[in-house]
Structure formats: C-alpha cells, structure tokens
Amino acid sequence: MRRLRTGILIAAWVASGATAKDLPGVDETTKTIRVNLYDEPKTLDPQLAADTVATMILGHVGEGLARLDPAGKPVPAQAESWQVKDATHYVFTLRKDAQWSDGKPVVAADFLHGWTRALDPELASESAFLLFAVKNARAIKAGTMPKTALAVKAVDERTLEVELERPTEYFLRLLNLSVYYPARRDAPKAHVGNGPFVIAAWEHDKSMTLRKNERYWNKDEIAVEVLDFPMLLRDKTAEFHMFREGKLALVWSLSKELLPEVAAAGLPMRKYNYGSVSFFQFNVRRPLFAEKHLRKAFQLALNREEFVGMVHGIPGSKPIYGIVPEYMPGVTKRYGEEFPLAFPDAQVDAAKAELELAKKALKLDKLPPIQLLASDTDDMRRDAAYFAKYFKEKLGLELVPEHQSFKTRLQRSERGEFDLVLSGWGPDYLDAMTFADLHTSWNENNNSGWSSKDYDGAIERAMRATDAKTRLEAIAAAERILVEEAPVIPYLQSFRVYVQDPRVVGVVRRTVGADPDFYYAKFAGPVAKK
C-alpha cells in the first residue's frame, strides 16, 4: 500500500515540474533533509528558551529524561527507566551510555544543576515556572529559599530522586521540555549537547546545520545524517516556492492564499492541530490600556468568525473566546465540551458604548493612534492590516501596524515596549494549566503587566486540587476572570496545513513539543517508475 500511495504522490511532483534530480531538499545518498529555518531563535540556552523555533532546534540537539513518541506519550530518553514510588516521588535511572557530544558522560548531577540553574532568580528564566511542580522550586525562584532546598537528589551518577510539590499527573510530559534538560557544570566548547544531533554550523539570521551526534545513545535509530536549515524565510509564499523548486523537504505551514495553488498543482496537503492560541495582548502599564473600558471595546467589537473564515482561512482552525483551547483534556471529555465559553461576536454598539466610557475616563475627545506590534511574516502582515481596517471602520480607532522579526517582537513584548501586540501561545504540555497559568502574576511570560489576586487565587486552587474536577473548575473560574478583565483577547485556535516531500516519512508534526520533529524521520526510498 505504501509503495502504491507513494507512486501516486510522485506523479503530482512530476506534473508540477519537479524530478528526483532537482530535489536537493531530500538527498537520500547523504541522508540529508533541508528545511527552512523560518526565524532566528531568541536563544538556544535550554534553561532560557521559550519560543517555537528554539523549541524545535533544542528538541534535536538536547534531550531530557524522557521524550515524546509519535503519539505524544513520554518514553525513556536520557533515563532508561523510572520508578514511581508514590504520587509525589520519582526515581530515575540514567543510561550507562548517555553522553554529551564531546564524550563526557551525562550524570544525575547534570540534571540537578540544570534545574537549579533555571530557578536561579539572577538568570531570570521565563521558563522557570515549568519547574514549579518540583517541591520548593517556586520558593527558590522567588528567592525565599536557597537552591539547595530543591527536592531533587543526585544519589549517584546514574540515579536521580525527585519529590514533587503535589501530585502532578502530567509530570513525565514536562521532562521533554528544554528547561528540564541537564546542564554542564564545567565550561564546554560551544554547542555541546546531549541530543541526537549537534550544531555543526550557525550563521545567525541566515542558516544552521545540524549533524547526527555519533555519541548519542540511540544513534543507530536516527536515519537522518544531516538536518540542514540553509535559509531563513519568513514569507510563506517564498518558502512554498522553494519547496516547489525542490530545495526544501517540507514547508512549516501554508497560508490561506497558497491553498488554491497547492490544490492546482496536485500536491497532497496534510493537516494537524498546531495547538496554539492567538490573542491581542494589551500593555496595561500604559494609561490608555490601564482603562478597562477600552479593552472591553476591542473585545466586544471583534468578529472572530469573520477573521477565522475570511482572513485566516485554514481548515480546522476555530474562533476562541477564552484562553484554554477546547481540545485540552477535561474530566471525562474535552475541556471545551465540559467548560464551554463563548459570547456573541461583533457587538459593535456595546463596544461603542465602552469606548465612550473609556474616553470619558481618560478625559480624551479622541484616542491617539495605537501601535499594533506584530511579527514581520506575510500572514501577520495580512492579519494586522485586517485588524487595523476593521477597528477603523467599526470604532474609528487608528491602529498603526509595526512589524518586527520574531526575535525582536518577543524582546519588545518582554520589555513592555508596545501598546498592543498580536501574540500567541503554544502548549508546553497537554493540560489546561499550560494556558491558564500564563497570566498569573508570577509567570514571566505574562507581558501585559496585568495581575489579579482573584485570578492568582483560582490558579492556586487548581494547583492544590487533588482531583481533576476541582482542578478544572478552578481553571475555568480563572478563565472567566480573564474574559471579564480582558488584558488579552483570544481570537484563534490554530490548525496548520502543509506539504512534504513523499520520499521522507515519519516526520512528526506536534501539538506539543518540537515541531517539526525529525527524530523518527526515515527515507522512503526512490519511487519505482511505471
């Protein structure tokens, strides 16, 4: 069946003008796959990284105690096994052949060092909150306990004992995150990692090349020898055309505008739940958006259905009204089924009333132009232009789009250098909490400057809960507070569609984790001619 299907796929490639001879995006002789880098990662420090590009790279050059299999299940990685003594006590046994790429063994103390390093208040890791499942981690990050108080013990070189703050059913899934990676206690040369690949070359803002790590414990099962990112294209149309020319093995995602061209070329499109939530984020530190009535005006006026259907246009994507996407697990069903949250779109008259209240409170006859910060990709330029036109027509507001690189947009957001930013969040693990705790006062990814004791309290209750129903009810209560206060306005939960060279199989597109993931990629071999 696979050979027949591949034969059908290759016919589309031939029809589109591509041949095996001019497809360097896939080189079966050298076992090379070439993919667009898409953007420059903000950092590749595992304890600091938080963006999607860094997550993808780190998922290939580093590894935690566990990694995710193609179905998203945590499986042994640097740890060959683990024992769950009770709901809060885990014992991990590291592999004898776990090594760093320079040949030094990976030992239990490297994990202890990596985790305590991430929690060091001076490092200011925005991913440190992901370690709060471990006992005393939050107090260490807050500076009220020393790093030595972390309830993690390197018993010997191969044994790591971990005590959790409270039962955390998704704890093993967290171990795939880079903040849980080990860290060297010495000062190794640049780009020393412990994953299936190593960084062989990196020209910032241009390209990167990864090669198989010959010291990796599972190297014989890694089919790809070279994972090459020879270009950095933020424009999806340009990326797709490079794919059509055979210079890339796949595209990260297709925009709505490209779908007719892909269909006309006969190229099979693939679809998956990207998992992210897109939202407006206001800078409430600025007087304009400290005014709740103005935030509510945006929230009520927004037409999510129109945006998702007419502008975004990707099959599977949906409007969203709260911060937690519907696909997250609930008590017995999906979260969205058990805790539905929606309200009418495009309440323009109510929005105008809120806008008048905002003007009165701000003592302004007319609001000044509002900076709309966004990434400089082609789809974000399209989205920002739509929103600027929409709010001008509906509310008379002047939004001025300002486009920056992904890296710069993140830095500007973190520093609070924006009025309004088109932002988003992808799940770190498959649980509603990965979205819910994003807007707590202690989460360093909360760039709006907004905080609420009631919101924090609801999340605290969820963290203390010992049963799923109580925990998710507390998260749903927090979500309703977020909707009422509107420091962020969610509008989109995303699917992605993409195309891929049929000679490569096993590439995993993920809702959670490194995406795309080439760990399980294989070469299908040449297609027999008919």
Side-chain angles (χ1 to χ4, degrees):
M1 287 293 292
R2 188 178 69 177
R3 182 176 295 276
L4 174 63
R5 181 171 173 79
T6 305
I8 293 171
L9 296 185
I10 203 69
W13 283 79
V14 173
S16 69
T19 67
K21 184 177 179 181
D22 59 14
L23 282 174
V26 178
D27 190 331
E28 296 162 296
T29 302
T30 60
K31 304 298 182 186
T32 298
I33 292 176
R34 294 186 174 89
V35 184
N36 176 29
L37 185 58
Y38 193 69
D39 220 320
E40 176 78 1
K42 181 186 168 187
T43 176
L44 288 183
D45 183 324
Q47 275 75 47
L48 289 173
D51 64 80
T52 54
V53 180
T55 296
M56 186 273 294
I57 297 295
L58 287 168
H60 293 88
V61 301
E63 188 170 75
L65 296 165
R67 70 164 49 246
L68 301 180
D69 71 5
K73 177 185 176 182
V75 294
Q78 294 289 289
E80 67 179 14
S81 64
W82 50 76
Q83 177 187 2
V84 183
K85 287 189 170 183
D86 58 46
T88 59
H89 290 81
Y90 292 70
V91 178
F92 297 89
T93 301
L94 273 61
R95 298 181 183 277
K96 291 180 180 179
D97 52 354
Q99 296 182 68
W100 295 95
S101 55
D102 63 0
K104 288 194 173 184
V106 176
V107 296
D110 293 337
F111 281 94
L112 175 58
H113 177 64
W115 299 7
T116 54
R117 176 177 179 267
L119 293 168
D120 188 335
E122 293 186 6
L123 187 67
S125 169
E126 59 191 82
S127 297
F129 73 98
L130 293 164
L131 285 155
F132 287 179
V134 181
K135 187 174 181 179
N136 298 333
R138 186 170 167 186
I140 294 168
K141 182 65 172 66
T144 59
M145 278 189 174
K147 290 189 288 183
T148 53
L150 190 67
V152 178
K153 182 179 180 182
V155 178
D156 54 42
E157 288 196 344
R158 294 185 57 215
T159 307
L160 188 75
E161 291 188 0
V162 180
E163 183 179 356
L164 303 186
E165 194 73 53
R166 58 187 63 86
T168 306
E169 59 180 327
Y170 51 85
F171 176 64
L172 291 175
R173 297 180 184 275
L174 296 175
L175 301 177
N176 176 66
L177 304 175
S178 70
V179 73
Y180 280 87
Y181 285 4
R184 288 281 285 269
R185 290 157 291 161
D186 58 359
K189 294 180 181 179
H191 307 318
V192 172
N194 68 323
F197 294 88
V198 295
I199 298 176
W202 184 6
E203 189 172 359
H204 289 278
D205 293 301
K206 289 187 178 180
S207 64
M208 183 183 293
T209 301
L210 310 184
R211 294 187 181 277
K212 185 196 287 191
N213 178 6
E214 292 301 324
R215 291 190 169 99
Y216 180 61
W217 66 271
N218 200 28
K219 65 181 177 62
D220 292 342
E221 295 300 316
I222 305 299
V224 179
E225 293 287 339
V226 179
L227 185 51
D228 191 23
F229 302 89
M231 60 194 75
L232 193 158
L233 297 173
R234 300 184 180 101
D235 187 298
K236 292 183 178 180
T237 300
E239 179 189 40
F240 174 66
H241 289 161
M242 294 298 286
F243 172 79
R244 287 290 305 275
E245 293 172 14
K247 296 178 181 178
L248 297 173
L250 57 75
V251 301
W252 284 56
S253 65
L254 297 166
S255 64
K256 179 195 74 171
E257 291 76 14
L258 287 167
L259 300 188
E261 183 178 352
V262 175
L267 301 177
M269 285 182 282
R270 306 174 183 218
K271 181 175 75 170
Y272 74 108
N273 181 7
Y274 182 53
S276 71
V277 171
S278 298
F279 49 84
F280 289 89
Q281 184 167 231
F282 299 106
N283 186 352
V284 304
R285 291 170 293 251
R286 296 189 172 178
L288 204 62
F289 290 114
E291 176 48 56
K292 177 180 169 181
H293 290 297
L294 180 55
R295 305 196 302 265
K296 296 297 286 186
F298 276 90
Q299 183 189 61
L300 293 169
L302 187 60
N303 192 331
R304 295 162 182 80
E305 293 280 356
E306 179 180 278
F307 171 80
V308 173
M310 296 179 58
V311 182
H312 178 70
I314 297 299
S317 294
K318 298 179 180 181
I320 189 170
Y321 298 82
I323 196 63
V324 180
E326 65 177 14
Y327 66 82
M328 281 293 172
V331 182
T332 60
K333 302 176 183 178
R334 294 187 305 170
Y335 179 89
E337 295 177 84
E338 296 179 337
F339 303 98
L341 178 59
F343 44 84
D345 266 342
Q347 300 180 60
V348 177
D349 289 342
K352 288 179 178 178
E354 291 287 345
L355 182 60
E356 290 306 311
L357 290 172
K359 290 178 181 178
K360 183 177 180 179
L362 292 164
K363 299 180 180 180
L364 294 172
D365 294 326
K366 182 180 179 181
L367 295 184
I370 296 168
Q371 169 207 52
L372 177 60
L373 180 63
S375 296
D376 64 352
T377 58
D378 52 343
D379 53 343
M380 293 308 295
R381 288 181 178 276
R382 174 204 65 198
D383 294 355
Y386 163 80
F387 287 128
K389 182 174 183 291
Y390 182 85
F391 285 109
K392 180 70 173 178
E393 291 178 352
K394 303 301 181 184
L395 298 181
L397 296 174
E398 184 179 355
L399 270 60
V400 182
E402 179 181 349
H403 296 280
Q404 298 289 343
S405 70
F406 178 66
K407 179 179 179 179
T408 301
R409 194 261 296 169
L410 287 178
Q411 291 172 336
R412 290 272 300 274
S413 298
E414 290 162 9
R415 294 195 296 257
E417 297 173 358
F418 66 94
D419 290 336
L420 175 62
V421 60
L422 293 183
S423 191
W425 189 256
D428 290 307
Y429 48 95
L430 199 63
D431 188 271
M433 187 62 80
T434 191
F435 286 94
D437 70 357
L438 177 63
H439 303 286
T440 56
S441 61
W442 61 79
N443 193 314
E444 294 191 33
N445 293 284
N446 179 2
N447 297 322
S448 68
W450 174 84
S451 65
S452 161
K453 290 182 179 180
D454 290 340
Y455 189 90
D456 286 356
I459 298 301
E460 290 276 14
R461 290 197 304 275
M463 289 178 167
R464 291 193 300 268
T466 57
D467 67 282
K469 185 174 185 293
T470 302
R471 190 170 71 87
L472 290 173
E473 285 176 346
I475 288 175
E479 191 174 26
R480 290 192 294 271
I481 292 169
L482 197 70
V483 168
E484 172 58 29
E485 292 295 317
V488 298
I489 303 175
Y491 58 88
L492 170 70
Q493 50 182 331
S494 297
F495 264 64
R496 276 186 169 180
V497 291
Y498 67 104
V499 285
Q500 180 178 311
D501 190 314
R503 295 175 301 164
V504 177
V505 297
V507 179
V508 181
R509 303 306 303 266
R510 295 192 181 277
T511 301
V512 174
D515 176 45
D517 183 352
F518 297 94
Y519 188 92
Y520 301 97
K522 307 288 183 186
F523 294 90
V527 178
K529 294 181 179 180
K530 294 185 176 181

